[in-house]
Amino acid sequence: MGKAIKKLAVLTSGGDSPGMNAAIRSVVRTCAYHDIECVGVYRGYEGLIEGDFKAMDARSVKGIINKGGTILKSARSKEFRTEEGRKKAFKQLTDANIDGLVVVGGDGSFTGALIFNQEFDFPVMGIPGTIDNDIYGTSHTLGFDTALNTVVDAIDKIRDTASSHNRLFFIEVMGRDVGHIALNTGIAGGAEEILIPEEDLGLDRLVESLNKSRKSGKTSSIVIVAEGDKIGKNIFELKDYVDDNMEGYDVRVSVLGHMQRGGAPSCFDRVLASRMGVKAVESLLEGETNYMVGLLNNSVELTPLDKAIKGKSKINLELLRVSDIMST
Ligand code: F6P
């Protein structure tokens, strides 16, 4: 067991996600509840290196649970990847009498936290925040549920115009390495096909499937493409290929982009962030370090950071089958 914790810091790092503010609020209020100090660190590890800290009490986080983005701002720090940068960060933390750090971010941010702990034996705890849901040790990352709802809303709107014009739409959604957003929103949005990095459908099978559905009487179609998919990586080339190889459809592309990262967090993400913040702070107070808090079987549990980083978040194969059946 390390020394007693009297002061904690919290930062948000990497790509932002809805629910990060709710997590900051939860960390700050859990600290206040246990009568320990809390400081917010601006701009992730960049602010840690520069000592860009702000004392936060329970009232300082009022009115943010419903806000997208992160009031602490986020950054991807090159300097923190160097030993020199991490030394500076450690000095800033010890000068400010901070005893532990909560990092809200993705696997890159957790890698930084783990190295930092190994070098300086500084207590760290991770909260998974990314819309991609690509982290092992949690069924849901913060922001995933909100992003799903944002995307489904967009698909519904695109479907209206697709149907009016008898068009085929390719809709690109985020997911650099994983297809969670594509797979879930594809089912919820009634997509004809869903292209994800975990499954290589291939151009020929895609055209074959679209032709089949056209012949079965469908007059418009939606294909959801995860940005990291092999054949969907360049969605405009994909569109041209399909345009050249099938008849009967006018084809369009819509890239949803960063709108998926914004917006008010869903009820689910607000509750999850609140639960994760409590667990992160209380685990540090109990002397735990180097863990990520995550949702497993609807219980908030700890997973060692190295496992969370190295493990792969797998797609649910049942969803693939459901999607196949639904597009009949
Ligand atoms: O937050 C994760 C993610 O949305 C990825 O799906 C995407 O590739 C990436 O962030 C883009 O982030 P940025 O534009 O901030 O580099």
Side-chain angles (χ1 to χ4, degrees):
M1 179 94 101
K3 70 169 185 158
I5 290 198
K6 298 201 181 78
K7 191 171 183 180
L8 284 182
V10 56
L11 61 80
T12 49
S13 168
D16 64 350
S17 66
M20 280 187 163
N21 279 328
I24 295 166
R25 174 181 181 270
S26 173
V27 169
V28 171
R29 292 214 168 146
T30 309
C31 285
Y33 178 85
H34 288 286
D35 221 7
I36 61 167
E37 287 180 74
C38 190
V39 300
V41 180
Y42 285 104
R43 293 173 295 114
Y45 292 123
E46 285 290 302
L48 202 60
I49 290 167
E50 290 167 23
D52 196 358
F53 302 159
K54 184 191 173 214
M56 299 184 93
D57 63 13
R59 295 287 74 75
S60 71
V61 287
K62 70 178 180 195
I64 65 166
I65 193 169
N66 55 335
K67 299 273 191 291
T70 158
I71 58 161
L72 290 177
K73 315 249 178 208
S74 192
R76 294 186 173 104
S77 171
K78 278 200 184 125
E79 200 180 350
F80 196 73
R81 293 200 196 133
T82 67
E83 208 183 322
E84 212 38 53
R86 293 191 294 272
K87 266 190 194 152
K88 285 188 203 163
F90 180 64
K91 184 166 183 327
Q92 296 288 4
L93 285 166
T94 42
D95 285 356
N97 295 316
I98 294 165
D99 311 303
L101 176 66
V102 178
V103 173
V104 188
D107 54 357
S109 311
F110 293 162
T111 304
L114 188 58
I115 295 172
F116 190 66
N117 170 273
Q118 285 161 351
E119 284 174 346
F120 303 103
D121 195 23
F122 195 84
V124 294
M125 197 59 64
I127 295 180
T130 161
I131 64 163
D132 287 351
N133 206 35
D134 58 349
I135 299 183
Y136 177 85
T138 188
S139 62
H140 291 74
T141 54
L142 290 183
F144 175 54
D145 182 68
T146 305
L148 294 183
N149 289 311
T150 302
V151 171
V152 168
D153 184 49
I155 297 174
D156 287 349
K157 286 174 176 149
I158 292 169
R159 175 174 294 291
D160 290 344
T161 174
S163 147
S164 305
H165 289 269
N166 287 353
R167 280 176 172 161
L168 163 63
F169 263 86
F170 286 99
I171 303 177
E172 185 187 281
V173 300
M174 278 187 168
R176 203 173 11 204
D177 307 308
V178 291
H180 294 293
I181 296 178
L183 189 52
N184 284 275
T185 60
I187 292 174
E192 203 52 50
E193 280 293 349
I194 304 168
L195 306 184
I196 56 175
E198 293 89 340
E199 262 247 323
D200 187 10
L201 182 65
L203 284 168
D204 294 341
R205 269 173 56 207
L206 173 67
V207 170
E208 195 185 306
S209 151
L210 292 171
N211 269 326
K212 199 172 142 204
S213 74
R214 184 95 177 95
K215 279 186 195 127
S216 80
K218 295 193 182 177
T219 52
S220 64
S221 271
I222 304 273
V223 177
I224 302 296
V225 184
E227 62 178 337
D229 177 72
K230 205 167 158 205
I231 62 168
K233 263 205 170 94
N234 187 330
I235 197 163
F236 293 96
E237 278 176 15
L238 174 65
K239 174 215 174 243
D240 288 345
Y241 182 88
V242 171
D243 234 352
D244 293 345
N245 285 280
M246 76 176 283
E247 303 235 317
Y249 272 138
D250 199 12
V251 191
R252 292 289 186 274
V253 166
S254 184
V255 176
L256 300 188
H258 288 76
M259 59 140 12
Q260 294 164 89
R261 291 234 297 249
S266 64
C267 175
F268 180 89
D269 276 327
R270 296 182 202 193
V271 175
L272 184 62
S274 304
R275 293 173 74 187
M276 285 180 166
V278 170
K279 183 77 174 179
V281 171
E282 293 190 337
S283 299
L284 281 167
L285 293 183
E286 283 159 16
E288 304 290 3
T289 179
N290 285 353
Y291 285 101
M292 179 195 82
V293 301
L295 190 68
L296 295 169
N297 297 320
N298 200 27
S299 169
V300 183
E301 305 287 345
L302 299 180
T303 296
L305 269 185
D306 61 337
K307 267 197 173 179
I309 295 160
K310 284 190 209 124
K312 222 175 145 28
S313 84
K314 297 214 173 86
I315 50 155
N316 183 345
L317 295 178
E318 183 222 338
L319 292 186
L320 274 180
R321 187 164 176 271
V322 169
S323 126
D324 272 355
I325 296 173
M326 288 305 108
S327 60
T328 301

